[in-house]
Amino acid sequence: MYKKKGIDLARFILEEERRYPHATGTLSHALLAIENAGKVISAHINKAGLVDILGRAEKINIYGEDVKKLDELANKWLIEHLSASGDFFAIASEELEEPVFPEVGKDGKYVILLDPLDGSSNIDVNISVGTIFSIFKKISDDVTTFFQEGYKQVAAGYIIYGSSTMMVYTTGNGVHGFTLDPMIGTFILSHPDIKIPSKGKIYSINEAYYLRWDGRIRNWLDTIKQNRYSLRYVGSMVADVHRTLLKGGVFAYPADSKNKNGKLRLLYEAFPMSFIIEQAGGMSTNGEKSILQIKPTELHQRTPVFLGSPEDIKELLNFLN
Ligand code: AHG
Ligand code: MN
Ligand code: MN
């Protein structure tokens, strides 16, 4: 019943929790902290184009820190909100060399990984960007707590700041999408139980790197091009994966001769997006195995990424193996 379109995110989270009699409520609390941080970032992104103008007119810097880049600010706001929640023993971010261990999170059961602002080079040109998060149970007292296989994620999701702001997440019980109603500042369930189409008609890859790819990737692309595919590539992973989730097809960022492991980060980008895509009935791979089967050894490690509709990924694997 609570999966009916129109209910708000806070209620949805609490109703989900009720389904598990032993749940302590801490994960719900953590998800609500992310929701709040997402709203703060969304509000600032909508004003991003005005920062210079307003700042100059008023001769003050309107956020106190408008000299900072928005990705650094997004990182700061997220860390502040999530630290204050007390739910997280440790927070790792693409923007920080080392994880943060919040004072009030000493008894926190979870750890979280963040890409505070994904696709940040797109902000200046008014194109969609996002925030990506991934939550695991705490298993140790130091950085090794983050070195768990992706299938052990307790929750993962993203907030996309697009023509609307949306939060899409999974706790391993399907994928649900909520659209922010800017009039009332509430995320409303708009996309219950998202399922990726079993086959799509779009591939999403930075084709400018064609000459740097392995012959197997080139063959795959040359072949699917003969089958009336379209190319769409925003250059914000959040936007490209969001479209892939809803419309199907393939999102790919392979290794190339310059970047032996590709560009995308395993922990901040590949794990959460793969969890969402697989939960929606899709597939992910690094070319050898599901991305969710990889055991990390470093916080900032990179991985080749291929994810999308199951039939499209199976076809790709025929070329890679
Ligand atoms: P970020 O802005 O968090 O550093 O991530 C950028 C990433 C990702 O969003 C996107 O898929 C990829 O960079 C695009 O890279 P190319 O410009 O090499 O295609
Ligand atoms: Mn990113
Ligand atoms: Mn980023």
Side-chain angles (χ1 to χ4, degrees), residues 29-64:
H29 199 250
L31 290 167
L32 292 169
I34 295 167
E35 177 199 2
N36 277 325
K39 284 186 207 169
V40 172
I41 298 171
S42 181
H44 282 85
I45 284 178
N46 289 340
K47 284 180 84 175
L50 290 171
V51 167
D52 286 345
I53 296 159
L54 295 181
R56 231 175 283 139
E58 293 164 13
K59 297 244 186 296
I60 49 158
N61 103 23
I62 57 168
Y63 303 134

Side-chain angles (χ1 to χ4, degrees), residues 102-279:
E103 191 55 35
V104 290
K106 272 202 211 94
D107 299 321
K109 291 204 311 192
Y110 299 104
V111 298
I112 186 164
L113 296 119
L114 304 165
D115 180 351
L117 211 53
D118 172 68
S120 47
S121 64
N122 275 325
I123 290 190
D124 292 349
V125 288
N126 209 353
I127 289 175
S128 301
V129 293
T131 295
I132 310 175
F133 65 91
S134 160
I135 299 177
F136 287 89
K137 283 212 171 96
K138 174 201 161 192
I139 53 162
S140 69
D141 289 341
D142 56 21
V143 68
T144 58
T145 193
F146 292 109
F147 301 161
Q148 306 184 47
E149 291 92 341
Y151 66 80
K152 294 184 179 155
Q153 286 172 101
V154 172
Y158 57 82
I159 301 164
I160 177 168
Y161 314 104
S163 45
S164 299
T165 295
M166 277 188 78
M167 177 158 159
V168 175
Y169 82 99
T170 181
T171 54
N173 180 29
V175 180
H176 310 290
F178 300 80
T179 303
L180 182 65
D181 180 339
M183 297 290 282
I184 55 170
T186 302
F187 280 101
I188 305 289
L189 181 61
S190 51
H191 296 66
D193 249 322
I194 301 173
K195 295 285 174 231
I196 190 169
S198 60
K199 188 164 172 52
K201 276 282 169 203
I202 297 173
Y203 68 86
S204 188
I205 192 167
N206 191 337
E207 210 168 334
Y209 304 148
Y210 184 88
L211 296 175
R212 297 194 219 150
W213 294 331
D214 186 301
R216 295 171 305 169
I217 308 276
R218 295 195 215 175
N219 281 342
W220 162 68
L221 207 60
D222 294 344
T223 307
I224 65 169
K225 275 184 176 191
Q226 293 160 24
N227 294 330
R228 291 193 294 120
Y229 272 77
S230 282
L231 162 63
R232 295 283 183 273
Y233 191 75
V234 177
S236 291
M237 186 193 196
V238 166
D240 285 316
V241 171
H242 185 63
R243 184 198 52 249
T244 305
L245 177 67
L246 297 182
K247 300 221 160 158
V250 182
F251 169 80
Y253 204 116
D256 61 47
S257 57
K258 268 199 180 160
N259 305 300
K260 300 283 180 215
N261 291 312
K263 174 184 184 189
L264 298 176
R265 316 278 182 150
L266 176 64
L267 285 152
Y268 311 109
E269 296 171 318
F271 268 174
M273 291 312 205
S274 299
F275 189 26
I276 288 171
I277 291 287
E278 291 200 13
Q279 273 290 312

